[in-house]
């Protein structure tokens, strides 16, 4: 800092911490319900409501969705992100179910539109929920084929856009997909749809409970040859941040409206760098399943929730404009009751 910050005793930094009113007035960041996006797992009636190894988060049928949505809307939550559990018999090597206008995701989108028309609807674009091998892309000749995958992601994006998704959120980490998706949306008059790019999506161990929730974890391990049992050939390596900046820059140029960093807490530095390097571009953080589980498995429930809330505020401090969190409803309740 080039300016003079002041020395003790003329400067006593505790003065602005001395009472709630002044702490609030001088707060540099805050957490409100406008920062929260609720991810929801969607199921067919044959898939269990409970998720193994992930207590406190559930899958909902199309008919169970309205109650959750209305609760979220009443609390002031502005958007949901939908993740379907595709039934066993509908998964295939070529992920054709992703293109079915009647698939679980499209039906869920229409349900949200019908019950809470003002709610933002974020649709995940990737093939993992539709492929037998659970990769985000098509496996051709023993590796994930970038360009064939992008072609399919474009058609998947159109499918969810037609169902009414307001935000197209590619989470697959293929090269060039943002530009390709933007072009196909534009040629079909979907210029109004946002693209939320999972620009910095790390190859992370924090996705464990998610893969359980959508049925991809064991598939990845058991339905692939040894060299394909992880997503390292497309997701970012934990060791890299310059590469994340490059991904973000490319996605902005290709037409992304918002960048996402995922997971969020272990990658706060990336949230901060994005907001510093590209201050005009909104950045979201995804507090992923593994992060949520860490806090929720803490023996003292309230303490665990406080820890979760603290970590959300740290994402705001780093520069995130909003966060996806499985705790959105609980946190919104706390905010409403003045508990934060
Ligand atoms: C992949 C995808 C993942 C998540 C959402 N979409 C991770 C993965 O399986 O690689 C993780 C979300 C979470 O853990 O909350 N398309």
């Amino acid at each position: 800092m080039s300016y003079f910050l002041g020395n003790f005793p003329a400067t006593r930094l505790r003065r602005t911490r001395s009472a709630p009113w002044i702490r609030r007035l001088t707060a540099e960041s805050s957490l409100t319900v406008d920062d929260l996006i609720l991810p929801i797992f969607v199921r067919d009636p044959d898939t269990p409501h409970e998720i193994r190894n992930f207590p406190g988060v559930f899958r909902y049928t199309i008919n169970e969705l309205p109650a959750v949505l209305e609760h979220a809307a009443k609390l002031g939550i502005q958007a949901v992100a939908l993740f379907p559990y595709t039934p066993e018999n509908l998964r295939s090597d070529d992920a054709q179910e992703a293109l079915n206008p009647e698939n679980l995701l499209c039906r869920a989108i229409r349900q949200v539109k019908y019950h809470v028309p003002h709610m933002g609807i974020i649709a995940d674009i990737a093939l993992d929920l539709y492929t037998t091998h659970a990769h985000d892309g098509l496996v051709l000749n023993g590796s994930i084929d970038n360009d064939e995958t992008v072609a399919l992601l474009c058609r998947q994006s159109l499918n969810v856009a037609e169902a009414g998704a307001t935000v197209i959120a590619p989470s697959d980490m293929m090269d060039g997909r943002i530009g390709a998706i933007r072009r196909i949306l534009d040629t079909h008059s979907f210029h109004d749809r946002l693209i939320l790019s999972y620009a910095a999506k790390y190859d992370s161990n924090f996705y464990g409970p998610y893969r359980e929730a959508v049925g991809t974890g064991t598939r990845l391990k058991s339905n692939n040859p040894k060299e394909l049992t992880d997503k390292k050939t497309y997701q970012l390596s934990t060791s890299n941040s310059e590469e994340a900046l490059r991904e973000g820059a490319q996605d902005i140029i290709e037409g992304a409206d918002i960048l996402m960093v995922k997971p969020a807490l272990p990658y706060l530095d990336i949230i901060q760098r994005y907001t510093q390097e590209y201050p005009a571009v909104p950045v979201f953080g995804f507090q992923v399943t593994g992060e949520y589980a860490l806090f929720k498995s803490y023996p003292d429930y309230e303490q665990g929730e406080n820890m979760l809330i603290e970590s959300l505020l740290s994402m705001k401090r780093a520069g995130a404009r909003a966060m996806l969190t499985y705790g959105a409803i609980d946190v919104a309740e706390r905010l409403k009751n003045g508990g934060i």
Side-chain angles (χ1 to χ4, degrees):
M1 292 283 168
S2 56
Y3 53 90
F4 181 61
L5 290 165
N7 281 334
F8 179 83
T11 300
R12 287 178 183 266
L13 292 173
R14 288 184 54 197
R15 279 198 286 262
T16 52
R17 298 178 204 144
S18 60
W21 68 270
I22 190 66
R23 286 198 294 273
R24 289 177 85 109
L25 288 178
T26 56
E28 294 173 43
S29 44
S30 60
L31 189 63
T32 79
V33 70
D34 292 338
D35 302 318
L36 306 174
I37 296 164
L38 174 68
I40 304 178
F41 293 114
V42 189
R43 66 178 177 120
D44 258 6
D46 294 342
T47 306
H49 182 54
E50 281 84 23
I51 302 166
R52 201 165 57 97
N53 296 332
F54 197 32
V57 178
F58 301 95
R59 305 181 185 97
Y60 298 94
T61 62
I62 301 290
N63 290 337
E64 289 165 345
L65 274 182
V68 183
L69 294 168
E70 278 152 26
H71 188 189
K74 219 169 171 176
L75 288 165
I77 292 172
Q78 302 294 327
V80 292
L82 303 169
F83 298 98
Y85 183 107
T86 305
E88 186 82 39
N89 60 319
L90 298 175
R91 300 189 198 215
S92 61
D93 285 350
D94 58 5
Q96 288 302 298
E97 180 63 6
L99 309 180
N100 177 2
E102 289 304 317
N103 70 22
L104 201 47
L105 176 58
C106 291
R107 282 184 283 139
I109 291 169
R110 288 195 289 268
Q111 187 75 316
V112 181
K113 272 225 111 47
Y114 181 79
H115 285 274
V116 276
H118 64 274
M119 184 79 92
I121 307 172
I122 302 172
D124 200 77
I125 298 298
L127 303 182
D128 56 324
L129 307 185
Y130 309 93
T131 49
T132 33
H133 46 68
H135 274 294
D136 292 18
L138 292 171
V139 178
L140 298 178
N141 304 320
S143 64
I144 316 293
D145 191 289
N146 192 87
D147 298 6
E148 291 296 323
T149 299
V150 170
L152 205 55
L153 297 174
C154 286
R155 295 171 63 200
Q156 184 186 20
S157 301
L158 270 189
N159 191 32
V160 296
E162 270 153 17
T166 34
V167 183
I168 309 298
S171 70
D172 54 284
M173 293 301 281
M174 296 301 124
D175 287 322
R177 88 271 206 223
I178 301 298
I181 291 171
R182 178 57 81 202
R183 279 190 294 280
I184 198 154
L185 289 174
D186 280 352
T187 52
H188 287 78
S189 302
F190 290 121
H191 340 83
D192 58 336
R193 306 309 162 92
L194 289 101
I195 297 182
L196 163 62
S197 172
Y198 287 73
K201 172 157 183 184
Y202 280 88
D203 169 46
S204 171
N205 292 294
F206 284 86
Y207 306 145
Y210 169 88
R211 292 181 184 174
E212 183 75 44
V214 293
T216 56
T218 46
R219 277 165 207 287
L220 201 58
K221 296 284 174 229
S222 59
N223 292 0
N224 287 296
K226 200 166 176 294
E227 58 282 7
L228 277 185
T229 52
D230 59 48
K231 300 190 177 183
K232 289 188 197 305
T233 68
Y234 42 105
Q235 298 182 345
L236 283 169
S237 162
T238 302
S239 55
N240 297 354
S241 60
E242 299 303 330
E243 193 182 349
L245 285 190
R246 207 171 173 193
E247 282 282 358
Q250 243 188 16
D251 289 354
I252 295 166
I253 291 165
E254 288 181 26
D257 300 287
I258 305 166
L259 301 183
M260 179 114 84
V261 176
K262 169 187 182 183
L265 190 62
Y267 301 91
L268 277 187
D269 57 325
I270 310 300
I271 296 180
Q272 186 168 38
R273 289 195 73 186
Y274 273 180
T275 52
Q276 284 175 351
E277 303 270 346
Y278 320 124
V281 181
V283 175
F284 289 178
F286 196 152
Q287 183 183 61
V288 300
T289 49
E291 295 175 67
Y292 177 84
L294 271 184
F295 301 126
K296 287 294 175 163
S297 59
Y298 193 72
D300 178 329
Y301 181 85
E302 199 180 320
Q303 191 64 25
E305 198 168 271
N306 288 340
M307 284 157 37
L308 182 146
I309 288 166
E310 179 178 331
S311 94
L312 290 173
L313 184 56
S314 77
M315 294 161 202
K316 285 296 298 293
R317 190 190 65 237
R321 300 270 175 90
M323 286 79 61
L324 280 87
T325 169
Y326 297 89
I329 288 197
D330 289 346
V331 175
E333 301 257 19
R334 281 273 295 271
L335 286 164
K336 193 176 157 200
N337 301 328
I340 293 177

